[in-house]
Amino acid sequence: MGENVEDYKLIFEKEGVYLHTNAKRSVQETSIPGFIRIVERAGQPALEWSPLEDEGRSAPAVLYSKKDGEGGEEDTNFDPGYEPDWAVISTVKKDREHAPIKDSGQWAFSLPLSELYSLRRARFSLGRNFMVLTSRGGHPLPPLHFHRGGTRELLRALHRYIVLDQSPVDGRLFLVYPRDSSSADFGPSFDKLHIPDDGSDIVTRFIHDPYATTFGGFSKVTNFFRAALRPPEAAVMRGAQDPGLPSQPDDEPGFELITCGVELGPRPNVTRGQALVQWEEFLDSEGRVKDPEKVKDLVFRGGVTPNLRKEVWKFLLGFYPWKSTSKEREEILRFKTDEYFRMKVQWKSVSEEQEMRNSLLRGYRSLIERDVNRTDRNNTFFSGNDNPGLTLLHDVLMTYCMYNFDLGYVQGMSDLLSPILFVTQNEVESFWCLTGFMDLVHQNFEESQEAMKQQLLQLSILLKALDPELCDFLDSQDSGSLCFCFRWLLIWFKREFSFEDILTLWEVLWTRLPCDNFHLLIACSILESQRGELIGSDHDFNTILKHINELTMKLDLQSVLLEAEVIYRQLVGCKDLPRQVKQVLGLCGPPSPAEESPDSQSSETERLLGQAEGGAASSHVPSCP
């Protein structure tokens, strides 16, 4: 295709921009690398994308719509692969004449900027940051992902031709207006739009791998992180939007907004107790623990004295049943030892040649070796080179991969094992204690991140009920997502307290008293302790994040535990506590299927399952009123 060079001018070019042909079905390999360009053809600016393999050819027009000589028809078979919720705003006049969109057999496109209606940062449920472009005819272009960054540079270059105006309905949507003499002063300046670069910054790293990014330190986070994680403005402005528009799907099912105007009442007086210092007195003649609940209560109130931890932890973490006799525990230890070494042999016997053909095992080993070399190296048990403690740490984690190959190894698991190994100083016992710990927190490490997301939502629910003023302040600074608590919840405050304090904190949490989510109340306690520093200050998102991050090793554990229990008792004592708060505290079960869908007609199987679940729930917690 010959083109007069005088009619063509390249304004902007960026390599490494991937077009995703089906973003919703991301399990398929549907990414096409290419170039994004702004060009002028005969003085008319256009935005073009072309794949690397098509370099040297002019970009055709959008391929997935058809126009015939009479005005054409749209190809309705094209599936963009993502939910076009932005399309509700892409309304145009029916009598408007649009530039023709030619058919092509390739994914490349060329869109005149006069036909660009909007651009949108896609939601994170797609797994990455995407930019979605919409034409004035309502035609969606496939999502683009800037793997090497460059979105801000692109938009800055576009700003010489168009004006971007943030939608009042959806903060991720930017409407496009032509820039001419009559609109030179229309709309905000580019710098005021706060559009993040979707490249290899900390936002993208957090979305792809929140674990590694979290451990890397949130103190480095900039405004990009705030812009990416702030709650969508659509949820805030729901009451002001056009009633003809459908509701935004960003709301989390099962969680309603809590505007807790309930009077919680005064906070009760609570005292901590002494550490558990006697063990034999709790055992009967055959070695059974006579009163497990009494032991748990003592541990919750004061922890365990160091010389008893090795024994008590094995009960708290399920290695030994509370009602087992001394003889039964000897048998359990023999059986568990054999089982452990059978699993250890599995990975130890894999040859280098075999491992070269097992990328998953090879990947686990690489991650473990990297993390072991930087886990608690200041502790004498793990310090120095060729330390046998490091070898044990490595071998236990590798064996856990054999025990739970679906989960394998995720960064942060070495942090959970090191205190256990330090206390037991036994390979087999530390492994089975780790499996007991992972039974409590394994969902934190699952790839879907749903458990972490739910815990942050539950923490928000508690904080809204406890301290609406603090929540309002955090929301006003785009910190309402509580993303800075991610590391706290992921590894149960392992990086926030000293090693010795963590031993006490974890044994308290392992009692599961006074509720399973006591770790969320500890987070509330820490945030409450900082409200005076935060509210009324000049803090913004960045300085809030920095302040919270700098609390590491500065918190007093006993004060935090005391205040967390005070908060629990204050909430439990409230007669009009919202149901969502009760559910988080374990005071009642989740809503029954009948409550969630009263008009639904369940099948017999669903009815029986609902009865079984209801029976199980009623045996543990009461139903909510």
Side-chain angles (χ1 to χ4, degrees):
M1 292 178 60
E3 185 169 16
N4 189 336
V5 69
E6 296 181 356
D7 293 336
Y8 177 88
K9 184 178 180 181
L10 178 64
I11 306 300
F12 174 87
E13 182 179 65
K14 178 67 179 178
E15 186 183 0
V17 179
Y18 284 64
L19 181 144
H20 290 257
T21 61
N22 199 333
K24 184 188 293 183
R25 300 173 180 84
S26 57
V27 293
Q28 304 174 12
E29 182 55 48
T30 55
S31 304
I32 305 175
F35 289 81
I36 192 77
R37 297 184 178 93
I38 301 173
V39 302
E40 287 187 4
R41 299 181 185 277
Q44 296 300 314
L47 184 64
E48 300 183 348
W49 181 89
S50 60
L52 290 175
E53 60 191 34
D54 285 355
E55 278 311 289
R57 290 184 284 175
S58 299
V62 180
L63 68 97
Y64 50 81
S65 295
K66 297 177 180 178
K67 292 282 269 185
D68 60 23
E70 303 298 324
E73 61 178 299
E74 183 178 351
D75 181 1
T76 59
N77 294 323
F78 175 73
D79 176 13
Y82 48 84
E83 299 297 334
D85 52 359
W86 37 263
V88 297
I89 307 174
S90 299
T91 54
V92 296
K93 294 181 179 179
K94 299 297 183 181
D95 58 353
R96 177 181 174 85
E97 291 295 331
H98 299 290
I101 301 179
K102 303 175 183 178
D103 183 25
S104 169
Q106 300 159 4
W107 286 99
F109 65 79
S110 178
L111 180 68
L113 291 186
S114 60
E115 291 300 308
L116 178 61
Y117 180 76
S118 69
L119 61 91
R120 188 180 191 277
R121 305 197 314 274
R123 69 183 71 254
F124 294 130
S125 60
L126 299 178
R128 294 189 179 97
N129 293 324
F130 288 93
M131 177 183 292
V132 180
L133 305 173
T134 310
S135 74
R136 291 195 177 276
H139 304 295
L141 276 70
L144 300 173
H145 178 58
F146 291 69
H147 285 228
R148 302 176 185 174
T151 52
R152 285 184 62 85
E153 289 83 354
L154 170 66
L155 297 176
R156 189 176 293 277
L158 285 172
H159 208 58
R160 66 186 291 184
Y161 301 105
I162 60 176
V163 172
L164 298 175
D165 191 27
Q166 193 170 29
S167 166
V169 178
D170 188 341
R172 295 187 300 263
L173 181 71
F174 296 87
L175 305 179
V176 176
Y177 300 93
R179 181 179 292 280
D180 53 33
S181 58
S182 62
S183 63
D185 297 325
F186 180 77
S189 68
F190 177 81
D191 291 328
K192 292 182 180 179
L193 293 176
H194 300 297
I195 300 176
D197 192 316
D198 296 334
S200 56
D201 52 46
I202 196 165
V203 180
T204 303
R205 295 200 304 274
F206 182 84
I207 298 302
H208 288 186
D209 190 356
Y211 309 107
T213 310
T214 296
F215 295 126
F218 276 154
S219 58
K220 300 175 183 177
V221 177
T222 67
N223 283 325
F224 296 141
F225 197 76
R226 173 183 62 186
L229 295 184
R230 64 184 177 188
E233 288 82 351
V236 178
M237 303 187 63
R238 178 71 43 79
Q241 75 178 46
D242 186 343
L245 297 180
S247 61
Q248 298 294 319
D250 288 336
D251 293 330
E252 295 297 331
F255 294 96
E256 66 184 38
L257 180 64
I258 296 177
T259 55
C260 188
V262 178
E263 178 59 48
L264 296 179
R267 294 195 172 181
N269 293 322
V270 173
T271 58
R272 299 286 297 161
Q274 298 297 317
L276 177 67
V277 295
Q278 297 293 333
W279 179 243
E280 295 298 327
E281 67 181 44
F282 288 99
L283 305 179
D284 65 16
S285 59
E286 293 185 316
R288 295 186 186 87
V289 179
K290 293 182 289 188
D291 191 348
E293 297 307 315
K294 176 65 174 177
V295 173
K296 292 179 186 178
D297 185 66
L298 289 172
V299 174
F300 172 75
R301 297 245 154 259
V304 181
T305 193
N307 65 304
L308 294 181
R309 280 184 174 135
K310 179 179 172 64
E311 188 67 19
V312 177
W313 279 23
K314 287 181 280 189
F315 288 88
L316 291 172
L317 291 170
F319 181 51
Y320 291 146
W322 288 97
K323 292 300 183 181
S324 61
T325 65
S326 299
K327 188 174 182 179
E328 288 170 342
R329 291 196 288 274
E330 292 175 2
E331 185 62 29
I332 289 172
L333 180 59
R334 282 195 294 270
F335 175 80
K336 292 291 189 181
T337 300
D338 290 344
E339 187 175 0
Y340 172 79
F341 282 107
R342 278 197 300 269
M343 290 184 289
K344 183 175 181 178
V345 166
Q346 291 175 5
W347 65 266
K348 292 284 282 187
S349 61
V350 174
S351 66
E352 291 184 10
E353 184 179 357
Q354 286 177 301
E355 190 167 313
M356 288 300 295
R357 295 190 294 270
N358 191 331
S359 60
L360 194 57
L361 180 62
R362 193 168 65 249
Y364 288 155
R365 185 192 294 273
S366 176
L367 286 173
I368 289 170
E369 290 175 350
R370 183 189 65 185
D371 286 355
V372 162
N373 287 326
R374 58 188 185 186
T375 299
D376 291 322
R377 298 305 300 275
N378 292 329
N379 187 298
T380 55
F381 190 77
F382 303 105
S383 63
N385 297 324
D386 300 322
N387 189 314
L390 297 179
T391 302
L392 291 177
L393 196 64
H394 171 274
D395 289 359
V396 171
L397 291 172
M398 283 296 297
T399 306
Y400 186 83
C401 290
M402 297 294 105
Y403 174 81
N404 188 349
F405 209 86
D406 286 341
L407 178 60
Y409 178 80
V410 180
Q411 188 174 14
M413 290 169 59
S414 62
D415 280 282
L416 302 186
L417 173 60
S418 62
I420 296 174
L421 186 57
F422 172 80
V423 167
T424 63
Q425 302 199 12
N426 180 283
E427 183 175 0
V428 173
E429 293 176 353
S430 66
F431 172 82
W432 291 111
C433 286
L434 174 66
T435 63
F437 196 0
M438 288 299 296
D439 286 344
L440 299 177
V441 299
H442 71 92
Q443 291 181 330
N444 290 4
F445 298 92
E446 292 178 354
E447 187 176 1
S448 68
Q449 302 165 26
E450 286 303 314
M452 292 302 302
K453 182 178 179 181
Q454 181 176 359
Q455 288 178 74
L456 288 172
L457 285 168
Q458 290 174 328
L459 177 57
S460 178
I461 286 173
L462 291 176
L463 200 61
K464 281 184 173 70
L466 183 68
D467 196 336
E469 184 183 4
L470 178 58
C471 279
D472 288 345
F473 172 77
L474 293 175
D475 283 337
S476 71
Q477 302 304 320
D478 293 332
S479 300
S481 65
L482 304 179
C483 60
F484 44 78
C485 300
F486 188 95
R487 186 175 69 189
W488 295 0
L489 307 183
L490 177 67
I491 53 174
W492 278 19
F493 309 94
K494 171 63 163 52
R495 304 286 182 89
E496 320 314 317
F497 293 94
S498 69
F499 193 88
E500 183 60 36
D501 278 348
I502 281 298
L503 304 182
T504 301
L505 173 60
W506 283 3
E507 60 199 12
V508 168
L509 290 173
W510 290 335
T511 67
R512 314 305 280 162
L513 297 175
C515 65
D516 288 350
N517 281 327
F518 192 62
H519 64 298
L520 300 181
L521 294 168
I522 289 174
C524 287
S525 173
I526 296 174
L527 293 174
E528 279 275 276
S529 72
Q530 302 302 309
R531 76 184 311 275
E533 170 66 26
L534 297 175
I535 295 179
S537 68
D538 294 329
H539 284 304
D540 58 13
F541 176 87
N542 294 327
T543 57
I544 290 173
L545 203 58
K546 183 174 183 292
H547 175 76
I548 296 297
N549 198 56
E550 290 175 348
L551 295 177
T552 299
M553 303 301 165
K554 297 178 182 178
L555 298 167
D556 180 71
L557 177 61
Q558 293 304 319
S559 297
V560 169
L561 288 172
L562 183 67
E563 188 64 19
E565 186 179 358
V566 167
I567 290 172
Y568 174 80
R569 294 187 179 278
Q570 181 188 31
L571 292 174
V572 169
C574 177
K575 296 181 179 179
D576 299 318
L577 202 62
R579 184 173 70 175
Q580 287 75 17
V581 180
K582 290 182 179 180
Q583 290 171 356
V584 175
L585 297 179
L587 301 178
C588 64
S592 67
E595 290 176 303
E596 292 181 336
S597 52
D599 298 327
S600 63
Q601 298 295 323
S602 301
S603 66
E604 181 65 12
T605 300
E606 291 172 334
R607 185 182 66 80
L608 292 174
L609 287 174
Q611 288 178 346
E613 292 173 356
S618 63
S619 65
H620 296 288
V621 292
S623 60
C624 282

